[in-house]
Amino acid sequence: LLYIQLNLQPEEKMNCYLCFLLFSSIFISSLAARNRYQRTVRYDGEILVRCPVNAPGVKDLLQNDYVDVWQINADGMADIRLDKDLLQSASFIDAKAECTKIADVEALVQRAENITFPRKQQAEWFEEYHTYNEIVNWYKELCQRYSSICSYKLSIGESIEGRDQPAVHISGSSRSEMKIYFQCQIHAREWISGATCMYIANYLLESYGTNNRVTTLLDQVEIIFVPFVNPDGYVYTWNGDRLWRKNRRMNSGSTCRGVDLNRNYPDHWGEGGSSSNPCSETYMGSSEESEPETQNTINYFKGNGPIIGAVDWHSFSQLILRPYGWTRADCPDETKLRQLGDDMRDVIRSVHGMVYTSQKSIDLYSTTGTASDWFYSDGAAENNGGYRAAGYTIELRDTGRYGFNLPPDQIIPTGNEVVPAVLKFAELLLDNPLRPRH
């Protein structure tokens, strides 16, 4: 033993032994955290570049089916992940002159992994990220703990690989008519999305009965969470490709897997801002609503009206995006939706000073077949109790330093700043819900 070899005194032996046990437990805990996460895909030869979107050749690069656009910021700069050989091709010689390399993707992911894993021994729940099974069990236990105001639904339907998509309902009164709908983790790699939804749910349940504002709100509105729009993709980010975005469909006639579920909703599907190439990160699917995950969330939304507000939670870029993504024309409720987005932006900034941008989706880039545009659409408004849902996409932290690999020490501050915005969102819609216009 170590203390015998060092010829220590008895009390020193005990101290050394205790230190050895502590070190061993930390090591085992860290190893266990690593074992949950087993990335098998490497990104050798891939780089992340930053390009001015209006520069010569960059528009063509952004529209290429074999690049992965991570963000376009308010300054008109795009962060693009691609194979370095693509940028060397003659087709993108102009873009190459305008773009600056930010990082090698493999090195970027490895640095993020070293921050995320290992975690400290006996970390609190919101101090680390969690697997699909861990999150499902956490929601079950949460609703059991607060069974008078929380109900857990095992599955609203199954994913393409047969995993359940659970749902959680939180309400302080069985008389609540109005509902708010949150869906999470539609894009697999955006781990902070699911973590933030858990934080919101936990805050609401812990605060009911002790916080007057939360109690008053939950006595008037039911809040619905769908924790996993894309369970298969999320699982694959833990045991395969950390940067995976789409679901895990095997696409007929292609070796490329997956459909971008946020281009698969039946609202102006296939009219631009998406791709018909299965190898693209924005592949829209073979038809609108082709994916079971999309079908399940649509059916659940329609079966739980009246829903007056809905948010599809994403990362990253710190954006509050309102309709539309498919046209530059203002939606009929543009004034109300702009003010609501601006109010949420201001509330978020008041907490930690984080700056979010409130804007129309199309002001970022063109998108079609998205969840948030569908929430607001005529199709979703049918049989919704005479209401139209205020639909938003919220892109959480950060603005590019870590991107999709946001460290777990930012889960709690992200939740802290988003919770008051959620309360504001629900309160304003309760006071002044949207009505369909004919």
Side-chain angles (χ1 to χ4, degrees):
L1 289 176
L2 180 62
Y3 60 78
I4 294 176
Q5 294 173 350
L6 294 177
N7 194 28
L8 299 176
Q9 296 300 313
E11 64 273 15
E12 294 174 317
K13 294 178 184 179
M14 180 55 70
N15 289 338
C16 185
Y17 180 65
L18 292 174
C19 288
F20 175 76
L21 288 179
L22 178 61
F23 173 81
S24 298
S25 63
I26 293 173
F27 176 77
I28 292 169
S29 176
S30 299
L31 187 61
R34 273 287 188 182
N35 286 340
R36 290 182 303 155
Y37 175 78
Q38 295 289 334
R39 176 167 66 94
T40 59
V41 173
R42 292 182 57 88
Y43 312 106
D44 300 313
E46 296 186 16
I47 59 175
L48 188 67
V49 297
R50 181 163 293 163
C51 313
V53 295
N54 293 321
V58 173
K59 183 177 180 181
D60 290 338
L61 183 65
L62 288 169
Q63 294 176 346
N64 187 278
D65 283 327
Y66 296 92
V67 306
D68 181 9
V69 181
W70 281 16
Q71 74 163 343
I72 299 177
N73 64 30
D75 296 328
M77 301 297 290
D79 290 354
I80 308 169
R81 168 190 165 206
L82 43 65
D83 190 296
K84 63 183 180 182
D85 291 337
L86 181 65
L87 204 57
Q88 304 297 326
S89 67
S91 301
F92 299 115
I93 190 169
D94 290 336
K96 179 184 176 183
E98 301 290 343
C99 297
T100 302
K101 177 182 171 182
I102 300 174
D104 292 302
V105 175
E106 176 63 27
L108 191 71
V109 172
Q110 285 186 18
R111 286 196 296 271
E113 289 168 341
N114 290 335
I115 295 173
T116 303
F117 306 104
R119 297 298 298 149
K120 67 183 182 181
Q121 186 189 27
Q122 297 179 341
E124 297 295 328
W125 181 261
F126 292 112
E127 292 179 335
E128 62 180 359
Y129 291 108
H130 299 277
T131 66
Y132 167 79
N133 287 332
E134 290 170 346
I135 293 171
V136 167
N137 289 331
W138 180 85
Y139 273 111
K140 288 179 184 176
E141 293 171 3
L142 189 71
C143 282
Q144 288 171 358
R145 193 182 322 140
Y146 297 98
S147 58
S148 64
I149 58 172
C150 184
S151 63
Y152 178 84
K153 184 176 178 63
L154 175 65
S155 184
I156 67 171
E158 292 184 348
S159 66
I160 194 76
E161 291 185 338
R163 290 184 177 87
D164 288 323
Q165 292 176 271
V168 171
H169 293 243
I170 299 173
S171 176
S173 171
S174 59
R175 298 184 300 275
S176 299
E177 177 188 2
M178 306 295 192
K179 298 175 184 178
I180 299 291
Y181 174 92
F182 294 148
Q183 66 177 36
C184 328
Q185 215 67 66
I186 192 170
H187 287 152
R189 61 192 176 189
E190 299 167 10
W191 286 7
I192 190 62
S193 162
T196 299
C197 287
M198 286 189 287
Y199 190 95
I200 297 167
N202 186 72
Y203 177 88
L204 294 172
L205 291 169
E206 283 189 344
S207 300
Y208 184 81
T210 59
N211 181 303
N212 288 336
R213 185 182 185 189
V214 173
T215 304
T216 299
L217 177 65
L218 289 179
D219 282 343
Q220 299 177 75
V221 69
E222 179 178 332
I223 299 184
I224 302 170
F225 293 84
V226 176
F228 287 103
V229 178
N230 185 7
D232 301 339
Y234 185 72
V235 169
Y236 187 54
T237 62
W238 280 79
N239 63 24
D241 185 347
R242 175 62 185 88
L243 297 177
W244 189 260
R245 169 185 169 102
K246 301 183 285 184
N247 76 350
R248 295 292 292 159
R249 171 175 288 282
M250 297 286 291
N251 292 307
S252 178
S254 175
T255 58
C256 296
R257 293 187 67 164
V259 170
D260 183 352
L261 299 176
N262 203 35
R263 301 296 186 275
N264 191 238
Y265 281 79
D267 185 73
H268 297 272
W269 178 86
E271 294 181 14
S274 60
S275 175
S276 59
N277 184 341
C279 296
S280 170
E281 295 288 354
T282 59
Y283 175 51
M284 61 190 178
S286 58
S287 63
E288 65 179 32
E289 204 179 338
S290 62
E291 304 310 291
E293 299 92 341
T294 314
Q295 296 165 16
N296 295 338
T297 56
I298 288 173
N299 291 338
Y300 204 67
F301 185 102
K302 287 183 173 181
N304 279 281
I307 293 172
I308 57 173
V311 176
D312 191 27
W313 295 94
H314 288 254
S315 75
F316 59 98
S317 290
Q318 297 176 193
L319 300 170
I320 300 171
L321 303 175
R322 62 183 182 272
Y324 294 120
W326 55 272
T327 177
R328 292 201 172 275
D330 287 346
C331 72
D333 298 288
E334 164 63 13
T335 301
K336 287 183 179 180
L337 293 177
R338 182 182 66 246
Q339 186 60 56
L340 183 53
D342 291 351
D343 287 343
M344 287 192 285
R345 173 202 64 197
D346 295 343
V347 169
I348 289 172
R349 188 170 187 173
S350 71
V351 179
H352 296 303
M354 298 302 288
V355 178
Y356 279 59
T357 300
S358 169
Q359 64 184 58
K360 291 197 291 186
S361 291
I362 199 166
D363 290 339
L364 181 64
Y365 46 69
S366 174
T367 57
T368 58
T370 64
S372 57
D373 272 357
W374 182 81
F375 295 153
Y376 180 74
S377 70
D378 290 339
E382 294 175 2
N383 303 314
N384 194 38
Y387 297 94
R388 183 185 296 275
Y392 288 84
T393 296
I394 296 184
E395 301 275 0
L396 297 164
R397 291 190 183 193
D398 58 7
T399 56
R401 180 181 180 186
Y402 295 106
F404 301 119
N405 299 296
L406 194 71
D409 64 8
Q410 294 200 40
I411 295 172
I412 292 175
T414 301
N416 283 339
E417 65 199 13
V418 164
V419 160
V422 164
L423 300 180
K424 188 76 169 179
F425 176 73
E427 290 165 346
L428 290 174
L429 287 172
L430 274 171
D431 290 341
N432 190 18
L434 305 183
R435 298 280 186 173
R437 299 188 182 189
H438 302 288

PDB file of all heavy atoms in Angstrom, residues 194-210:
ATOM      1  N   GLY A 194     -32.940  21.085 -24.533  1.00  0.00           N
ATOM      2  CA  GLY A 194     -33.604  20.179 -23.611  1.00  0.00           C
ATOM      3  C   GLY A 194     -33.325  20.517 -22.157  1.00  0.00           C
ATOM      4  O   GLY A 194     -34.211  20.400 -21.298  1.00  0.00           O
ATOM      5  N   ALA A 195     -32.092  20.941 -21.870  1.00  0.00           N
ATOM      6  CA  ALA A 195     -31.737  21.300 -20.499  1.00  0.00           C
ATOM      7  C   ALA A 195     -32.542  22.502 -20.017  1.00  0.00           C
ATOM      8  O   ALA A 195     -32.978  22.556 -18.860  1.00  0.00           O
ATOM      9  CB  ALA A 195     -30.239  21.592 -20.414  1.00  0.00           C
ATOM     10  N   THR A 196     -32.770  23.467 -20.900  1.00  0.00           N
ATOM     11  CA  THR A 196     -33.538  24.655 -20.532  1.00  0.00           C
ATOM     12  C   THR A 196     -35.006  24.320 -20.306  1.00  0.00           C
ATOM     13  O   THR A 196     -35.642  24.848 -19.382  1.00  0.00           O
ATOM     14  CB  THR A 196     -33.381  25.739 -21.617  1.00  0.00           C
ATOM     15  OG1 THR A 196     -31.998  26.090 -21.722  1.00  0.00           O
ATOM     16  CG2 THR A 196     -34.197  26.975 -21.286  1.00  0.00           C
ATOM     17  N   CYS A 197     -35.568  23.446 -21.117  1.00  0.00           N
ATOM     18  CA  CYS A 197     -36.953  23.031 -20.895  1.00  0.00           C
ATOM     19  C   CYS A 197     -37.108  22.364 -19.532  1.00  0.00           C
ATOM     20  O   CYS A 197     -38.083  22.603 -18.816  1.00  0.00           O
ATOM     21  CB  CYS A 197     -37.394  22.088 -22.010  1.00  0.00           C
ATOM     22  SG  CYS A 197     -37.690  22.915 -23.595  1.00  0.00           S
ATOM     23  N   MET A 198     -36.128  21.537 -19.165  1.00  0.00           N
ATOM     24  CA  MET A 198     -36.174  20.921 -17.831  1.00  0.00           C
ATOM     25  C   MET A 198     -36.092  21.976 -16.741  1.00  0.00           C
ATOM     26  O   MET A 198     -36.802  21.898 -15.727  1.00  0.00           O
ATOM     27  CB  MET A 198     -35.033  19.916 -17.681  1.00  0.00           C
ATOM     28  CG  MET A 198     -35.228  18.627 -18.435  1.00  0.00           C
ATOM     29  SD  MET A 198     -33.970  17.385 -18.011  1.00  0.00           S
ATOM     30  CE  MET A 198     -32.532  18.050 -18.835  1.00  0.00           C
ATOM     31  N   TYR A 199     -35.247  22.949 -16.937  1.00  0.00           N
ATOM     32  CA  TYR A 199     -35.083  24.000 -15.933  1.00  0.00           C
ATOM     33  C   TYR A 199     -36.396  24.772 -15.745  1.00  0.00           C
ATOM     34  O   TYR A 199     -36.799  25.057 -14.614  1.00  0.00           O
ATOM     35  CB  TYR A 199     -33.969  24.956 -16.360  1.00  0.00           C
ATOM     36  CG  TYR A 199     -33.564  25.927 -15.271  1.00  0.00           C
ATOM     37  CD1 TYR A 199     -32.489  25.638 -14.431  1.00  0.00           C
ATOM     38  CD2 TYR A 199     -34.249  27.117 -15.067  1.00  0.00           C
ATOM     39  CE1 TYR A 199     -32.107  26.517 -13.415  1.00  0.00           C
ATOM     40  CE2 TYR A 199     -33.887  27.991 -14.060  1.00  0.00           C
ATOM     41  CZ  TYR A 199     -32.815  27.690 -13.243  1.00  0.00           C
ATOM     42  OH  TYR A 199     -32.457  28.553 -12.238  1.00  0.00           O
ATOM     43  N   ILE A 200     -37.061  25.097 -16.846  1.00  0.00           N
ATOM     44  CA  ILE A 200     -38.329  25.824 -16.770  1.00  0.00           C
ATOM     45  C   ILE A 200     -39.375  24.994 -16.029  1.00  0.00           C
ATOM     46  O   ILE A 200     -40.067  25.487 -15.136  1.00  0.00           O
ATOM     47  CB  ILE A 200     -38.827  26.188 -18.182  1.00  0.00           C
ATOM     48  CG1 ILE A 200     -37.854  27.138 -18.882  1.00  0.00           C
ATOM     49  CG2 ILE A 200     -40.226  26.818 -18.111  1.00  0.00           C
ATOM     50  CD1 ILE A 200     -38.124  27.291 -20.372  1.00  0.00           C
ATOM     51  N   ALA A 201     -39.500  23.725 -16.416  1.00  0.00           N
ATOM     52  CA  ALA A 201     -40.488  22.850 -15.781  1.00  0.00           C
ATOM     53  C   ALA A 201     -40.217  22.733 -14.283  1.00  0.00           C
ATOM     54  O   ALA A 201     -41.146  22.814 -13.462  1.00  0.00           O
ATOM     55  CB  ALA A 201     -40.466  21.465 -16.435  1.00  0.00           C
ATOM     56  N   ASN A 202     -38.981  22.528 -13.923  1.00  0.00           N
ATOM     57  CA  ASN A 202     -38.613  22.390 -12.513  1.00  0.00           C
ATOM     58  C   ASN A 202     -38.927  23.667 -11.733  1.00  0.00           C
ATOM     59  O   ASN A 202     -39.461  23.624 -10.618  1.00  0.00           O
ATOM     60  CB  ASN A 202     -37.131  22.058 -12.412  1.00  0.00           C
ATOM     61  CG  ASN A 202     -36.694  21.749 -10.991  1.00  0.00           C
ATOM     62  OD1 ASN A 202     -37.024  20.709 -10.442  1.00  0.00           O
ATOM     63  ND2 ASN A 202     -35.941  22.661 -10.393  1.00  0.00           N
ATOM     64  N   TYR A 203     -38.618  24.812 -12.334  1.00  0.00           N
ATOM     65  CA  TYR A 203     -38.880  26.092 -11.668  1.00  0.00           C
ATOM     66  C   TYR A 203     -40.383  26.285 -11.415  1.00  0.00           C
ATOM     67  O   TYR A 203     -40.791  26.693 -10.322  1.00  0.00           O
ATOM     68  CB  TYR A 203     -38.339  27.251 -12.507  1.00  0.00           C
ATOM     69  CG  TYR A 203     -38.634  28.609 -11.906  1.00  0.00           C
ATOM     70  CD1 TYR A 203     -37.755  29.177 -10.987  1.00  0.00           C
ATOM     71  CD2 TYR A 203     -39.799  29.305 -12.229  1.00  0.00           C
ATOM     72  CE1 TYR A 203     -38.035  30.415 -10.410  1.00  0.00           C
ATOM     73  CE2 TYR A 203     -40.087  30.536 -11.659  1.00  0.00           C
ATOM     74  CZ  TYR A 203     -39.200  31.080 -10.748  1.00  0.00           C
ATOM     75  OH  TYR A 203     -39.482  32.298 -10.164  1.00  0.00           O
ATOM     76  N   LEU A 204     -41.189  26.004 -12.420  1.00  0.00           N
ATOM     77  CA  LEU A 204     -42.628  26.182 -12.270  1.00  0.00           C
ATOM     78  C   LEU A 204     -43.183  25.312 -11.144  1.00  0.00           C
ATOM     79  O   LEU A 204     -43.982  25.763 -10.309  1.00  0.00           O
ATOM     80  CB  LEU A 204     -43.329  25.861 -13.583  1.00  0.00           C
ATOM     81  CG  LEU A 204     -43.050  26.797 -14.765  1.00  0.00           C
ATOM     82  CD1 LEU A 204     -43.660  26.233 -16.039  1.00  0.00           C
ATOM     83  CD2 LEU A 204     -43.565  28.199 -14.488  1.00  0.00           C
ATOM     84  N   LEU A 205     -42.757  24.064 -11.097  1.00  0.00           N
ATOM     85  CA  LEU A 205     -43.281  23.138 -10.100  1.00  0.00           C
ATOM     86  C   LEU A 205     -42.789  23.479  -8.697  1.00  0.00           C
ATOM     87  O   LEU A 205     -43.557  23.427  -7.730  1.00  0.00           O
ATOM     88  CB  LEU A 205     -42.892  21.706 -10.466  1.00  0.00           C
ATOM     89  CG  LEU A 205     -43.597  21.163 -11.718  1.00  0.00           C
ATOM     90  CD1 LEU A 205     -42.978  19.853 -12.171  1.00  0.00           C
ATOM     91  CD2 LEU A 205     -45.082  20.981 -11.470  1.00  0.00           C
ATOM     92  N   GLU A 206     -41.526  23.845  -8.573  1.00  0.00           N
ATOM     93  CA  GLU A 206     -40.988  24.219  -7.265  1.00  0.00           C
ATOM     94  C   GLU A 206     -41.619  25.510  -6.743  1.00  0.00           C
ATOM     95  O   GLU A 206     -41.742  25.705  -5.525  1.00  0.00           O
ATOM     96  CB  GLU A 206     -39.473  24.397  -7.339  1.00  0.00           C
ATOM     97  CG  GLU A 206     -38.684  23.104  -7.364  1.00  0.00           C
ATOM     98  CD  GLU A 206     -37.183  23.346  -7.206  1.00  0.00           C
ATOM     99  OE1 GLU A 206     -36.739  24.508  -7.388  1.00  0.00           O
ATOM    100  OE2 GLU A 206     -36.457  22.384  -6.907  1.00  0.00           O
ATOM    101  N   SER A 207     -42.027  26.392  -7.646  1.00  0.00           N
ATOM    102  CA  SER A 207     -42.492  27.721  -7.251  1.00  0.00           C
ATOM    103  C   SER A 207     -43.991  27.769  -6.970  1.00  0.00           C
ATOM    104  O   SER A 207     -44.461  28.697  -6.302  1.00  0.00           O
ATOM    105  CB  SER A 207     -42.155  28.744  -8.348  1.00  0.00           C
ATOM    106  OG  SER A 207     -40.751  28.791  -8.567  1.00  0.00           O
ATOM    107  N   TYR A 208     -44.730  26.792  -7.495  1.00  0.00           N
ATOM    108  CA  TYR A 208     -46.180  26.836  -7.304  1.00  0.00           C
ATOM    109  C   TYR A 208     -46.516  26.720  -5.817  1.00  0.00           C
ATOM    110  O   TYR A 208     -46.049  25.833  -5.112  1.00  0.00           O
ATOM    111  CB  TYR A 208     -46.858  25.706  -8.081  1.00  0.00           C
ATOM    112  CG  TYR A 208     -48.371  25.770  -7.984  1.00  0.00           C
ATOM    113  CD1 TYR A 208     -49.078  26.643  -8.797  1.00  0.00           C
ATOM    114  CD2 TYR A 208     -49.069  24.992  -7.072  1.00  0.00           C
ATOM    115  CE1 TYR A 208     -50.463  26.734  -8.710  1.00  0.00           C
ATOM    116  CE2 TYR A 208     -50.450  25.072  -6.975  1.00  0.00           C
ATOM    117  CZ  TYR A 208     -51.142  25.953  -7.799  1.00  0.00           C
ATOM    118  OH  TYR A 208     -52.508  26.045  -7.710  1.00  0.00           O
ATOM    119  N   GLY A 209     -47.345  27.631  -5.348  1.00  0.00           N
ATOM    120  CA  GLY A 209     -47.751  27.629  -3.957  1.00  0.00           C
ATOM    121  C   GLY A 209     -46.877  28.469  -3.056  1.00  0.00           C
ATOM    122  O   GLY A 209     -47.264  28.788  -1.927  1.00  0.00           O
ATOM    123  N   THR A 210     -45.679  28.857  -3.540  1.00  0.00           N
ATOM    124  CA  THR A 210     -44.788  29.713  -2.750  1.00  0.00           C
ATOM    125  C   THR A 210     -44.488  31.031  -3.455  1.00  0.00           C
ATOM    126  O   THR A 210     -44.160  32.018  -2.813  1.00  0.00           O
ATOM    127  CB  THR A 210     -43.452  28.996  -2.455  1.00  0.00           C
ATOM    128  OG1 THR A 210     -42.809  28.656  -3.695  1.00  0.00           O
ATOM    129  CG2 THR A 210     -43.685  27.720  -1.654  1.00  0.00           C
TER     130      THR A 210
END
